[in-house]
């Protein structure tokens, strides 16, 4: 699925990537790898219409700088900052690299070196304030704030109503997962993948497993591929409903809020009936799935049919409720050309006309045969992103039904094949509820030496401050909910 | 007004727990326990049986197996590999007031009722109306989803006089999730110190109890127990809303005097 081209010199990296982007490639990730000989590799992952390509350069031992890619391709900026936090490498030519996931004290060690330190001296970052003018002040919103939220801090620069600039701090819940991954064997690492983003556990297990399967040269059996689709799409419904619930709460739609909460609970209970876990953990493993569904496919089909009709009726009613739609229309507008240039992912991108969806572009599991058409809209506001999610819930029900029908007609199993990862580097991708999820996995001497999850939330984060043009404080809840970022998946 | 009628459509969906057991409990793989009469001495022969070392032999009686639910991430590997020894436990009332009480089978010396009444006495003044402040100290996000469900119509904790509050100054109960990340230490302590006495702390989820599979790392702790004094421990990865609710009721000394729901 991914092609690693020849290694190019660090000085040639920026022109090469800029040329790739000019011919229509999308910068999907910038990932650093510490090599056994103390050199460092930089991988630039570029997505075409149906391919992933990799540009690779190598920094010799002792070289701690590289030319900044963000000078030519601005969407690389957050990756350069993250690499500075975790590897201590400095992207040159782009100004100071503000910390993202790990604000380190000056000269303190970086965690992703070959002999990682057990503790790191942290500091409280003080990002530069951007907005200027009379009466502008900065409101520190979070990480502990009203309601039950994951920890994330917004620096809201405002004059009281309008928000001329928004800063986002995500380091509070940095858990050091990338270092943790490399201490684990494959069967345990897939369990950690399920805990990177709790609301996308199936997607993470799937992306990690696909990378291991690529290194092992195996494909999971057909029944496992179908069961993977069932769980991945149930996860999409649950996570999209979570976003809908946040919207209805913000808009004061009490009945809709209650109804959607009930629908979501029923989805979680169906997932638990299928696998014993409300978030689908313990289903996907490298090589297939842990076993058959606990519920017969025909019984699961009946359960889906029972859920679907009232859910669809409520979603239709909600999307025809003017007092709800008015709050979302023209709120949180994300410019289509900005979204395209940044390569916006998931419902955020698809709401602004960027039609990438891994299920259609680089189909995996059982998606190639089930058929898939991505939902798109061009309005670019919170309503468009909401509309995408509603359509994707309906699409997910269709995919689940097709997969269950086929499962019902197949013999029971096999559910997995043995897989032994060969040494090498693999990049796998799936469409998580939040958008394209990449896993870069490096195996050396049979051990995992690098596992890098790149979540859609991380890639999209830089766009969030750009969606506040002309919006005021009371719109905040809709912009945040419609982006649907997972702080756990950003901070890792 | 279509939504008014929609709101009436399904009647009452709210659980009657804790007054009555809820049928959903037994359908759910909430925890692992030992099968009665299971063979001893398993640990020596089974490497990699548990990714978080939640299974260990007893210290005082060599060879006697114990499952530490504060460490268990409910992955089910032990049940799949050794169904003769381990089994799924459908109990959702899993919360406890001490780490020792989360080890199964329990130590016979442990007096649960004594521990329970101690917390109950301290929070006696809060009984009718309790305000909860949640803090995420490095979770994966799934605990927040389950806590948020408590406000929905099915679990509806407001019927029990429990409310989520914005300000720690109004809060009686601190509900903490996550492994305890370096970046949240100061924020967690500030929140705790801003709360008026008497205050209760409930740690929610295996990550918060022991670090689970995640901690410790250079940036994550082995749970939040070193940061704030814990009154109630709620195991699970994540704990289901019923288990969280059980933990809240346990913290407030408001559990009915019966065993269940099974």
């Amino acid at each position: 699925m991914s092609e690693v081209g020849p290694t190019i010199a660090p000085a040639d990296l920026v022109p090469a990537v800029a040329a790739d982007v000019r011919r229509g490639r999308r910068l999907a990730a910038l990932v650093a790898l510490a090599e056994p000989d103390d050199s460092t590799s930089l991988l630039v992952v570029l997505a075409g219409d149906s391919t992933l390509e990799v540009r690779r350069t190598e920094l010799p031992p002792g070289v701690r700088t590289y030319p900044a890619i963000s000078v030519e391709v601005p969407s690389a900026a957050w990756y350069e900052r993250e690499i500075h936090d975790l590897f201590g490498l400095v992207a040159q030519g782009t100004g100071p690299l503000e910390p993202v996931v790990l604000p380190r004290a000056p000269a303190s060690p970086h965690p992703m070196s070959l002999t990682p330190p057990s503790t790191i001296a942290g500091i409280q970052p003080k990002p530069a304030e951007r907005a200027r003018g009379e009466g502008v002040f900065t409101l520190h919103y979070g990480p502990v704030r009203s309601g039950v939220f994951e920890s994330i801090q917004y620096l809201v620069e405002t004059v009281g109503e309008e928000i001329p600039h928004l800063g986002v701090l995500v380091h509070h819940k940095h858990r050091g997962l990338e270092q943790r991954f490399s201490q684990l064997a494959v069967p345990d690492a897939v369990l950690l993948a399920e805990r990177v983003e709790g609301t996308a556990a199936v997607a993470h297990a799937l992306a990690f497993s696909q990378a291991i399967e690529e290194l092992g040269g195996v494909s999971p059996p057909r029944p496992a591929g179908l069961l993977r689709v069932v769980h991945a799409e149930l996860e999409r419904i649950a996570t999209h409903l979570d976003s809908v619930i946040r919207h209805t709460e913000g808009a004061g739609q009490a009945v809709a809020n209650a109804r959607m909460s009930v629908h979501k609970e029923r989805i979680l209970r169906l997932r638990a009936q299928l696998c014993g876990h409300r978030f689908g953990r313990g289903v996907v493993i490298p090589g297939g799935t842990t076993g058959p569904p606990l519920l017969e496919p025909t019984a699961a089909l009946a359960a889906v049919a029972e859920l679907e009709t009232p859910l669809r009726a409520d979603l239709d009613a909600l999307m025809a409720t003017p007092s709800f739609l008015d709050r979302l229309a023209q709120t949180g507008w994300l410019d289509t050309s900005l979204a395209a240039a940044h390569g916006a992912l998931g419902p955020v991108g698809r709401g602004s006309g960027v039609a990438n969806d891994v299920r259609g572009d680089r189909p995996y599991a059982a998606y190639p045969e089930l058929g898939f058409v991505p939902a798109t809209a061009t309005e670019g506001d919170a309503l468009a992103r909401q509309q995408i999610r509603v359509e994707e819930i309906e699409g997910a029900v269709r995919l689940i039904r097709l997969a269950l029908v086929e499962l019902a007609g197949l013999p029971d199993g096999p559910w997995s094949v043995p897989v032994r990862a060969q040494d090498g580097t693999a990049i796998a991708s799936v469409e998580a509820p939040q958008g394209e999820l990449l896993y870069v996995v490096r195996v050396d001497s049979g051990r995992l030496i690098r596992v890098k999850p790149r979540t859609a939330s991380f890639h999209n984060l830089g766009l969030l401050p750009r969606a506040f043009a002309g919006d005021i404080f009371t719109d905040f809840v809709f912009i945040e909910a419609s982006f649907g970022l997972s702080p756990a998946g950003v901070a890792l | 007004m279509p939504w008014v009628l929609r709101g009436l459509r399904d009647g009452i969906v709210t659980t009657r727990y804790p007054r009555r057991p809820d049928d959903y409990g037994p359908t759910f793989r909430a925890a692992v326990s030992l099968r009665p009469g299971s063979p001893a001495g398993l640990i020596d022969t089974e490497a990699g049986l548990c990714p978080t070392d939640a299974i260990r032999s007893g210290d005082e009686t060599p060879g006697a197996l114990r499952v530490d639910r504060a460490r268990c991430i409910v992955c089910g590997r032990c049940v799949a590999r050794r169904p003769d020894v381990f089994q799924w436990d459908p109990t959702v009332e899993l919360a406890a007031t001490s780490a020792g009480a989360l080890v199964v089978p329990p130590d016979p010396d442990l007096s649960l009722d004594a521990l329970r009444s101690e917390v109950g006495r301290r929070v006696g003044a809060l009984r009718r109306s309790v305000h909860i402040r949640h803090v995420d100290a490095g979770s994966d996000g799934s605990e927040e989803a389950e806590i948020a469900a408590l406000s929905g119509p099915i679990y509806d904790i407001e019927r029990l006089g429990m409310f989520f509050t914005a300000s720690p100054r109004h809060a009686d109960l601190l509900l903490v999730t996550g492994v305890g990340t370096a970046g949240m230490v100061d924020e967690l302590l500030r929140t705790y110190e801003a709360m008026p006495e008497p205050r209760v702390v409930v740690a929610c989820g295996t990550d918060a109890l022991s670090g689970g599979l995640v901690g410790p790392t250079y940036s994550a702790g082995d749970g939040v127990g070193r940061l704030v004094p814990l009154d109630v421990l709620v195991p699970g990865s994540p704990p289901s809303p019923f288990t969280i609710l059980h933990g809240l009721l346990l913290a407030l000394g408001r559990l009915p005097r019966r065993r269940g729901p099974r």
Side-chain angles (χ1 to χ4, degrees):
Chain A
M1 185 171 265
S2 50
E3 292 170 27
V4 180
T7 302
I8 55 178
D12 298 336
L13 185 65
V14 176
V17 172
D20 289 334
V21 169
R22 270 195 301 277
R23 64 189 174 93
R25 298 291 182 268
R26 162 172 66 85
L27 184 130
L30 172 61
V31 176
L33 293 165
E35 300 287 351
D37 65 355
D38 217 18
S39 63
T40 314
S41 293
L42 285 176
L43 307 182
V44 183
V45 184
L46 295 148
D49 289 338
S50 61
T51 56
L52 284 180
E53 295 157 19
V54 177
R55 294 273 184 190
R56 179 172 180 276
T57 190
E58 203 168 296
L59 307 178
V63 175
R64 311 302 300 162
T65 62
Y66 62 99
I69 297 167
S70 58
V71 172
E72 292 281 343
V73 185
S75 55
W78 285 75
Y79 294 95
E80 291 169 354
R81 292 164 59 187
E82 187 204 32
I83 287 172
H84 180 240
D85 289 347
L86 297 181
F87 289 82
L89 299 179
V90 178
Q92 284 187 316
T94 180
L97 294 160
E98 287 181 17
V100 184
V101 295
L102 180 66
R104 283 180 297 121
S108 71
H110 45 88
M112 294 299 286
S113 56
L114 287 174
T115 48
S118 58
T119 56
I120 286 169
I123 51 164
Q124 194 62 32
K126 288 199 175 58
E129 295 179 0
R130 310 276 164 83
R132 295 273 184 275
E134 196 180 327
V136 176
F137 63 95
T138 303
L139 186 78
H140 291 235
Y141 186 46
V144 181
R145 58 184 164 131
S146 177
V148 177
F149 288 100
E150 285 187 63
S151 291
I152 187 168
Q153 188 175 31
Y154 297 105
L155 305 181
V156 187
E157 295 173 37
T158 179
V159 286
E161 283 279 20
E162 289 186 11
I163 303 171
H165 186 263
L166 180 81
V168 190
L169 296 181
V170 298
H171 67 271
H172 298 90
K173 59 185 300 182
H174 175 61
R175 290 174 283 166
L177 293 180
E178 289 172 52
Q179 193 203 67
R180 183 78 182 114
F181 263 117
S182 57
Q183 299 163 349
L184 298 177
V186 169
D188 293 353
V190 69
L191 299 175
L192 186 63
E194 291 179 333
R195 284 154 179 85
V196 174
E197 276 180 297
T199 52
V202 177
H204 278 264
L206 195 44
F208 174 78
S209 298
Q210 286 179 190
I212 297 295
E213 286 156 10
E214 190 183 320
L215 289 171
V218 301
S219 304
R222 181 72 183 165
L226 291 164
L227 190 56
R228 286 174 168 194
V229 168
V230 171
H231 280 284
E233 294 302 318
L234 283 170
E235 176 170 272
R236 193 178 320 281
I237 297 175
T239 304
H240 282 1
L241 277 178
D242 209 47
S243 169
V244 175
I245 289 167
R246 295 237 186 252
H247 281 89
T248 53
E249 190 182 2
Q253 301 282 338
V255 180
N257 181 261
R259 299 274 303 173
M260 294 302 168
S261 304
V262 174
H263 291 310
K264 187 191 164 195
E265 176 70 18
R266 287 178 178 154
I267 296 287
L268 294 188
R269 289 185 178 193
L270 175 59
R271 296 171 78 184
Q273 275 183 289
L274 279 165
C275 71
H277 197 281
R278 288 161 58 89
F279 294 81
R281 286 181 182 164
V283 173
V284 179
I285 51 168
T289 62
T290 44
L294 301 177
L295 196 61
E296 288 292 323
T298 45
L301 272 170
V304 169
E306 202 176 312
L307 289 170
E308 184 196 5
T309 313
L311 171 60
R312 187 180 290 237
D314 280 343
L315 285 172
D316 288 348
L318 184 65
M319 297 310 279
T321 301
S323 57
F324 178 67
L325 302 181
D326 288 348
R327 297 299 304 271
L328 305 189
Q330 287 151 46
T331 298
W333 182 66
L334 179 66
D335 181 57
T336 49
S337 56
L338 174 64
H342 189 89
L345 302 173
V348 175
R350 292 193 283 276
S352 286
V354 183
N356 70 58
D357 189 315
V358 186
R359 292 175 289 171
D361 300 341
R362 301 182 297 281
Y364 50 96
Y367 289 108
E369 299 80 14
L370 296 177
F372 176 76
V373 181
T376 50
T378 52
E379 291 83 357
D381 55 5
L383 181 57
R385 297 190 278 276
Q386 172 84 359
Q387 186 66 50
I388 295 289
R389 288 194 175 91
V390 169
E391 283 176 35
E392 290 189 356
I393 289 172
E394 290 172 4
V397 171
R398 186 189 72 88
L399 288 164
I400 291 165
R401 184 170 282 147
L402 287 174
L404 285 172
V405 166
E406 191 179 333
L407 267 179
L410 288 178
D412 183 4
W415 297 99
S416 64
V417 291
V419 52
R420 189 177 158 73
Q422 304 297 312
D423 288 359
T425 306
I427 301 176
S429 58
V430 302
E431 188 72 14
Q434 295 87 353
E436 177 192 77
L437 170 66
L438 295 178
Y439 261 70
V440 180
V441 175
R442 171 74 159 275
V443 173
D444 193 46
S445 310
R447 288 181 52 243
L448 291 171
I449 61 164
R450 180 89 167 104
V451 177
K452 167 66 187 173
R454 198 284 276 130
T455 64
S457 294
F458 182 85
H459 190 85
N460 282 344
L461 186 67
L463 291 171
L464 183 68
R466 311 290 293 273
F468 278 81
D471 287 318
I472 60 173
F473 218 93
T474 48
D475 297 322
F476 193 99
V477 56
F478 302 110
I479 302 173
E480 190 189 26
S482 69
F483 265 68
L485 300 178
S486 149
V490 176
L492 297 184
Chain B
M1 291 299 288
W3 282 109
V4 175
L5 298 175
R6 267 174 203 281
L8 301 172
R9 197 166 277 179
D10 289 347
I12 294 171
V13 296
T14 308
T15 178
R16 302 179 78 175
Y17 181 80
R19 280 178 54 216
R20 301 265 181 85
D22 193 283
D23 290 341
Y24 181 55
T27 68
F28 180 66
R29 291 177 168 180
V32 171
S33 60
L34 293 184
R35 203 173 275 283
S38 57
L42 175 87
I43 297 305
D44 305 331
T45 55
E46 293 272 327
L49 184 64
C50 178
T52 56
D53 293 329
I55 299 169
R56 49 191 161 88
S57 43
D59 296 332
E60 53 276 57
T61 28
L65 284 179
R66 292 277 190 280
V67 177
D68 184 354
R69 287 178 175 164
R71 299 206 59 84
C72 173
I73 57 169
V74 211
C75 68
R77 186 185 295 170
C78 57
V79 181
R81 278 203 204 165
R82 293 300 299 266
D84 55 325
V85 181
F86 302 96
Q87 63 182 5
W88 289 111
D89 191 332
T91 312
V92 292
E93 294 193 318
L94 295 165
T97 50
S98 71
L102 286 175
V103 178
V104 290
D107 189 325
D109 298 338
L110 205 66
S111 172
L112 293 179
D113 284 338
L115 289 165
R116 178 187 298 185
S117 61
E118 193 279 320
V119 185
R121 233 190 336 272
R122 192 146 55 82
V123 298
L126 307 175
R127 285 196 172 184
R128 311 286 300 218
S129 168
V130 179
H131 287 72
I132 302 169
R133 176 64 254 182
H134 157 257
V135 173
D136 162 21
S139 76
D140 60 46
S142 59
E143 278 89 1
E144 281 67 26
E146 296 293 54
I147 293 169
L150 293 175
S151 300
I154 290 184
Y155 301 99
D156 186 22
I157 58 167
E158 298 199 0
R159 78 198 150 94
L160 302 167
M162 298 187 212
F163 308 89
F164 287 102
T165 182
S167 169
R169 299 207 187 279
H170 299 162
D172 310 300
L173 191 150
L174 183 62
L175 185 58
V176 191
T177 58
V179 288
T181 50
M184 282 305 291
V185 171
D186 291 348
E187 310 287 348
L188 179 62
L189 292 180
R190 273 172 67 199
T191 307
Y192 175 74
E193 280 158 14
M195 289 170 63
E197 300 268 10
R199 55 194 167 195
V200 193
V201 182
V202 177
C204 180
T206 298
D207 285 359
L209 303 187
S210 66
L213 191 59
V214 174
T217 70
Y218 63 87
S219 184
D222 53 356
V224 294
R226 294 178 205 273
L227 307 176
V228 284
L230 304 183
D231 295 301
V232 167
L233 300 87
V234 183
S237 185
S240 76
F242 276 123
T243 306
I244 302 170
L245 184 49
H246 176 251
L248 297 176
L249 293 166
L250 179 63
L252 302 171
R254 281 173 46 175
L255 281 173
R257 291 255 161 222
R258 61 163 173 76
R259 301 303 304 161
R262 291 279 312 214

